[in-house]
Amino acid sequence: MEVQPLIELPQRTLVDRFNRHLNYLRLSITDRCNLRCTYCVPDGFFPKLPSREILRYEEVLRLVKIAVHLGVSKVRVTGGEPLVRKGVYEFLDTLGRIDGITDISLTTNGVFLADQIDRIRKAGIGRINISLDSLKREKYKRITGFDRFDTVWKGIRLARERGVHPIKINVVVIRGVNDDELMDFARLTFDFPYAVRFIEYMPMGSHCRSYGQQILAPEILDKLKSLGELEPVPRNETDGPAERYRFKGAAGEIGLIRPISHHFCSDCNRLRLTASGQLRVCLLSNIQVDLKGPMRDGAADTELARLMIRAVLRKPRKHGLSCTEGSPVSDPMFAIGG
Ligand code: SAM
């Protein structure tokens, strides 16, 4: 796949009505996944899009180049599980050669990390988020539907040995499921340079869990404090929404991602492109603009750029998710990419 030079496009950055500069694009390259995490794919319900509905790599790259022209500089590749898609390493290579992208990262369940870490590194991916909701093999299997804990754990170790940094471990905390492991996850940071990030469960789609199962960040922080004093870590450019802390003398750190207890909408710089070519302007809203249809009907780059700019102007000031009302989002997380 060759990267073609950009053609003339309207010179406007992606700025919304609230003066937020949207420079971060999360690309979901597939809706397929090799795990069935109960909170992401509720009740094993997993409709797959027909292949023709999924953007081809050339189409994704074309849209990314337009978005970069309009101001995007950070890209995260996600899914479904991005590493299950055929040709993903060549795609990552090509993505890495697009002028104007300064940061490419990956969110994965880590099942293919051990086998593919060298190809991932070669493609220029320096930052990896790995989802791991339990440190216990049996429980991991219950949550994900597959006995892959040892494989993922090996992948995390290899990634560290190959110099991937930071390695962020994403833990979606659910009461009665993995809240008994908060301390074990936190203790990992004493010895290893991992960023363990506790994520508040977001009810998504029509089959969401009961709100009683949500554990919000203040409760998590309270529990962690029994392990020692947590010092806030100053924010840096690639932080995203995580609130960062470190135990005194620890090699790694703790992150809290709290879309519910302390939403970060006023700083949100994100756009999402789904595997089916929909541009979503807020994870927790149903607003989306179809780019695939117009692109396949022959739209020029300038028209696609205008569609993106118009979509951005529809980005809501803040999301409507709370801990007491139903989900405002109809699609499950695997269909959007997280
Ligand atoms: N397959 C990859 C993975 O497992 O990381 C990427 C896709 S997954 C949808 C992206 C992230 O969304 C994961 O960290 C996952 O834990 C998180 N996630 C999924 N459903 C969620 C929910 N309902 N609330 C909060 N986070 C969720």
Side-chain angles (χ1 to χ4, degrees):
M1 281 176 278
E2 277 307 303
V3 176
Q4 300 298 319
L6 275 173
I7 62 160
E8 194 68 24
L9 288 172
Q11 291 293 315
R12 265 192 67 178
T13 51
L14 296 172
V15 182
D16 74 2
R17 290 172 298 151
F18 308 103
N19 205 30
R20 292 174 295 198
H21 290 245
L22 308 179
N23 63 354
Y24 180 15
L25 180 63
R26 295 169 72 101
L27 277 183
S28 172
I29 59 170
T30 180
D31 65 337
R32 286 12 179 207
C33 190
N34 48 348
L35 299 181
R36 294 286 182 275
C37 303
T38 51
Y39 58 85
C40 186
V41 186
D43 299 336
F45 169 78
F46 195 72
K48 283 192 259 175
L49 289 168
S51 306
R52 66 176 181 287
E53 295 301 329
I54 292 181
L55 290 182
R56 297 188 299 274
Y57 283 133
E58 311 81 90
E59 294 175 319
V60 178
L61 290 166
R62 179 175 171 201
L63 293 176
V64 171
K65 280 186 275 173
I66 295 170
V68 167
H69 186 84
L70 297 175
V72 163
S73 57
K74 283 175 64 175
V75 176
R76 173 172 294 277
V77 178
T78 175
E81 171 49 40
L83 300 185
V84 299
R85 183 157 175 188
K86 222 170 140 196
V88 61
Y89 303 103
E90 292 78 8
F91 167 74
L92 292 174
D93 270 338
T94 314
L95 188 65
R97 286 189 278 119
I98 293 180
D99 268 350
I101 300 183
T102 54
D103 183 70
I104 301 183
S105 52
L106 177 72
T107 299
T108 173
N109 57 35
V111 170
F112 292 122
L113 259 191
D115 285 345
Q116 304 295 347
I117 187 64
D118 292 329
R119 292 176 84 181
I120 295 170
R121 292 295 280 152
K122 193 164 156 274
I125 307 288
R127 300 193 305 112
I128 306 182
N129 290 10
I130 301 150
S131 304
L132 183 71
D133 300 305
S134 175
L135 294 169
K136 297 178 182 162
R137 187 175 159 195
E138 274 309 310
K139 195 197 285 181
Y140 178 91
K141 189 172 160 190
R142 280 203 299 281
I143 295 174
T144 65
F146 291 86
D147 187 7
R148 297 282 187 272
F149 174 79
D150 292 342
T151 318
V152 175
W153 193 241
K154 181 175 166 201
I156 292 175
R157 179 174 53 77
L158 279 180
R160 172 167 50 86
E161 287 170 8
R162 297 287 196 282
V164 175
H165 187 78
I167 292 176
K168 296 183 181 171
I169 298 182
N170 285 350
V171 186
V172 177
V173 186
I174 301 180
R175 198 182 303 282
V177 175
N178 59 356
D179 53 328
D180 58 329
E181 294 190 58
L182 289 177
M183 305 300 188
D184 295 337
F185 272 109
R187 276 192 210 97
L188 273 183
T189 68
F190 291 170
D191 300 320
F192 299 104
Y194 304 140
V196 172
R197 294 148 31 108
F198 297 112
I199 303 176
E200 291 175 342
Y201 166 70
M202 290 172 262
M204 309 278 292
S206 49
H207 296 64
C208 41
R209 282 168 179 270
S210 86
Y211 284 96
Q213 285 193 278
Q214 266 178 342
I215 300 199
L216 302 184
E219 186 178 339
I220 297 174
L221 261 185
D222 252 12
K223 292 192 169 159
L224 298 185
K225 278 178 186 157
S226 67
L227 282 182
E229 197 188 327
L230 276 170
E231 300 168 339
V233 174
R235 298 179 61 76
N236 70 32
E237 251 191 23
T238 54
D239 269 358
E243 224 173 76
R244 299 167 59 196
Y245 298 90
R246 188 186 289 278
F247 288 106
K248 233 188 175 74
E253 61 181 64
I254 303 288
L256 291 172
I257 302 190
R258 29 192 319 191
I260 309 214
S261 61
H262 187 255
H263 70 78
F264 31 84
C265 302
S266 61
D267 292 330
C268 181
N269 60 350
R270 298 168 174 207
L271 286 173
R272 291 175 170 82
L273 181 64
T274 67
S276 63
Q278 310 300 309
L279 189 68
R280 294 189 77 121
V281 291
C282 169
L283 173 63
L284 297 170
S285 125
N286 286 322
I287 298 174
Q288 60 179 18
V289 168
D290 180 32
L291 297 177
K292 178 183 69 202
M295 178 164 53
R296 290 188 179 171
D297 287 343
D301 287 357
T302 41
E303 289 170 65
L304 294 170
R306 279 195 198 97
L307 285 175
M308 288 184 194
I309 291 167
R310 250 183 265 144
V312 159
L313 293 175
R314 294 176 64 197
K315 186 173 170 79
R317 180 195 288 274
K318 62 187 179 89
H319 71 69
L321 188 61
S322 71
C323 53
T324 51
E325 289 158 29
S327 176
V329 201
S330 332
D331 289 316
M333 196 70 99
F334 71 84
I336 305 175

